[in-house]
Amino acid sequence: MGISNSGAAPLVRDALFSAAQSSSARTVYSGVCHGTLGELWQGPYEQDGELHIGLISLPVRKYSWMHYLPGEDGEDGADLAGKDKCRRAIDLYLQHHGKSLPPGRWSHDSELPLGKGMASSTADLVATIRCLDRIFGLDTPVPTVADLLRGIERSDSVFLDRYALYLSGRQQIVRSFDTSPRLHACYIDEGGTVETEKLADPLLRHYQRHLSSYRRGLQQAIEAFDGGDAAAICECATHSAQLAQWVTPKAHFETLAQRRREFGADGIVVAHTGSLLGYLFVSRPDAARMSELSSFFRGLGRQCRFAETGL
């Protein structure tokens, strides 16, 4: 006579339910930061008798994440392999706040590829700082975030909640803007990667040679933001991209410029120290226009991407 297993199924279900409850109850601390799709303006800003690299970044709705799972054995060197700057941010943060990190394990994810001009490195750092804030129940103020970044790298303004004219080397906000346009981009990656730090000196030499053009461009950008004129902001992005052709040229820029009106684009945006370029639209392109753009870029041998930008 066989032995009945009628009681086994409920026991298995109970065990699985208990395990699921245990898994879902784990506390994970997370920090998130958006990246950029290049810059609406990048050029020289004069301060204290020196030229500095200034920029007005174009935020994009793509993100970097940093997670911390407490209570597990972790090792920064393994958990954050290739993320030396993030480890430096953790050290500086703990020193500043006088904290000690509890045992735990780090993990990271990102939609922002490296070396393309999407502020991936700075977004990683800001996501790390925000994750640490969650762990300790703190809210690190913006000036302190800038101070922490200053000790690590030339950075972007992705930790701000508005558009701003920002000095990347000094990690200084020159001024912020109340206008927060949502623009729509269709862009491509021309390939390769760019090391931002190596371009600082060539950029500053280029800025010195074309100082008057950059001054006009910056004034126009400020007026466009102050006036809340999204179309004028796109025109400023186009002008800045054109000036950048002399020092960080994009292979397909002239082709995009020639076809811009045909596609009804309001401007052209580039990652000045990256490999991205594309069209900007004040209004979202419809399905037919998206198909036309896709065909155009595919004819150039590139796959385009669509993204909504803004904060």
Side-chain angles (χ1 to χ4, degrees), residues 8 40 218 249 307:
L40 295 170
L218 177 57

Side-chain angles (χ1 to χ4, degrees), residues 257-272:
Q258 292 167 8
R259 302 287 296 275
R260 173 187 160 192
R261 301 299 180 188
E262 175 186 337
F263 294 115
D266 295 288
I268 296 174
V269 66
V270 301
H272 288 68

Side-chain angles (χ1 to χ4, degrees), residues 83-93 121-122 124-126 128-129 145-155 168-169 171 197:
K83 297 292 178 186
D84 293 345
K85 291 181 179 180
C86 291
R87 290 201 295 271
R88 177 65 175 153
I90 294 167
D91 291 341
L92 290 174
Y93 180 100
S121 178
T122 308
D124 286 349
L125 294 174
V126 175
T128 301
I129 292 169
V145 173
D147 287 342
L148 293 173
L149 294 175
R150 189 177 298 113
I152 303 171
E153 68 171 10
R154 179 181 295 277
S155 70
S168 63
Q171 279 84 14
E197 293 293 338

Side-chain angles (χ1 to χ4, degrees), residues 95-138:
Q95 290 171 19
H96 176 83
H97 288 290
K99 299 289 186 180
S100 296
L101 197 62
R105 181 172 292 281
W106 289 98
S107 61
H108 166 262
D109 197 7
S110 181
E111 297 175 308
L112 307 170
L114 297 172
K116 301 297 183 181
M118 301 189 79
S120 59
S121 178
T122 308
D124 286 349
L125 294 174
V126 175
T128 301
I129 292 169
R130 289 175 175 171
C131 184
L132 288 163
D133 272 351
R134 297 279 291 177
I135 293 170
F136 296 109
L138 300 175

Side-chain angles (χ1 to χ4, degrees), residues 26 68-75 79 102-106:
R26 294 190 306 173
Y68 194 72
L69 177 62
E72 291 199 1
D73 292 331
E75 183 182 344
D79 295 349
R105 181 172 292 281
W106 289 98

